[in-house]
Amino acid sequence: KAFKNSIDLILTNYSCKVANLEQELIIDPTLTVNYIHHRLRGHLPQFCTLISLCEALVFEKVQGCQILNFLHQKSSYGTPDSRDITKIVLNGCHKIFFKQIYNWCLYGELSDPNKEFFIQKCEIKKNDDWESCSSEDAEKCWENEFFLCIGGNSGPNMVPFSYFPIELAQAILFIGKSVRSLKGDWPIENSTQFFSNYEKAKENFSL
């Protein structure tokens, strides 16, 4: 949806120009095809770039956060106009991407019904009776309920690796998990489990 909305934004000036041309034709039906072509030909590079992006997305079966990686790579070459258009689309997609990161890091919430984010939830059975929940069950919840999509058994790699370090993705995953623990979504006996996982996380990245 963010990709589509970005394209709509890019084509706003084109749509306005077509609407103005329609009014001109109503007033003066003798306007020639050459006149219309002259008024609209400046948008041809936009269409060429957008069509190329859409065709490549379909052909390469790019989805979710993979689109960010795809657009970032495409924005590094081509004509200046082509790069600018690609960056506009990328920035539009980034709005949704960073909103997901914001909600996860601040609230521990993940709203991703189409599984497009690089953090995914694995539905596991949790013990609703927290008082009887063992540290082993808590560890299982911490380790397995949320995970990074980095390829292999975890599914397609959704981390935009060309500019978004895997260490940063791991840090974001840890922060959201910590927020959920502190909110009470997972039982933590005397905070031992939380700090145990904190020490494990420090081995993989620097906070």
Side-chain angles (χ1 to χ4, degrees):
K1 185 176 180 181
F3 183 84
K4 172 186 174 297
N5 291 341
S6 298
I7 292 178
D8 289 341
L9 177 63
I10 292 171
L11 296 180
T12 298
N13 290 336
Y14 172 80
S15 300
C16 292
K17 190 169 289 186
V18 170
N20 291 335
L21 275 172
E22 182 180 11
Q23 294 300 317
E24 291 181 35
L25 285 168
I26 292 174
I27 296 172
D28 183 5
T30 64
L31 292 176
T32 65
V33 173
N34 285 337
Y35 174 78
I36 297 174
H37 179 265
H38 173 74
R39 290 288 305 277
L40 297 177
R41 66 182 180 183
H43 295 277
L44 183 60
Q46 290 182 344
F47 280 102
C48 290
T49 299
L50 293 175
I51 290 172
S52 176
L53 289 175
C54 292
E55 289 180 342
L57 280 174
V58 173
F59 179 76
E60 298 179 24
K61 297 181 180 180
V62 181
Q63 58 183 335
C65 286
Q66 294 174 334
I67 294 177
L68 301 176
N69 197 60
F70 169 84
L71 292 172
H72 182 263
Q73 292 176 334
K74 293 289 185 181
S75 67
S76 62
Y77 59 87
T79 65
D81 287 342
S82 176
R83 293 198 300 268
D84 289 343
I85 291 170
T86 304
K87 287 176 182 178
I88 291 174
V89 180
L90 177 60
N91 289 337
C93 294
H94 271 154
K95 291 180 181 179
I96 301 299
F97 179 65
F98 289 119
K99 183 178 179 180
Q100 284 277 33
I101 292 176
Y102 174 85
N103 287 334
W104 173 252
C105 290
L106 195 62
Y107 305 111
E109 296 177 356
L110 189 64
S111 177
D112 184 28
N114 297 320
K115 299 187 181 301
E116 297 176 317
F117 195 45
F118 63 79
I119 295 174
Q120 290 297 319
K121 181 177 182 179
C122 177
E123 297 297 336
I124 61 176
K125 186 176 180 180
K126 293 191 293 185
N127 190 345
D128 293 330
D129 185 3
W130 288 9
E131 293 183 0
S132 63
C133 185
S134 66
S135 59
E136 183 178 339
D137 290 334
E139 176 72 13
K140 182 179 179 182
C141 287
W142 175 276
E143 293 291 344
N144 299 328
E145 187 172 12
F146 291 93
F147 60 93
L148 288 181
C149 289
I150 53 176
N153 294 332
S154 66
N157 188 353
M158 289 296 181
V159 178
F161 56 86
S162 64
Y163 66 99
F164 200 86
I166 187 66
E167 292 81 8
L168 179 56
Q170 291 172 333
I172 291 171
L173 174 65
F174 175 79
I175 291 170
K177 283 184 172 185
S178 301
V179 171
R180 294 180 67 85
S181 293
L182 295 173
K183 287 172 60 178
D185 286 3
W186 293 316
I188 304 176
E189 298 178 356
N190 298 323
S191 300
T192 302
Q193 190 63 47
F194 173 80
F195 289 108
S196 173
N197 287 301
Y198 171 75
E199 292 300 327
K200 289 180 182 179
K202 286 203 302 182
E203 297 175 1
N204 298 320
F205 56 84
S206 299
L207 291 176

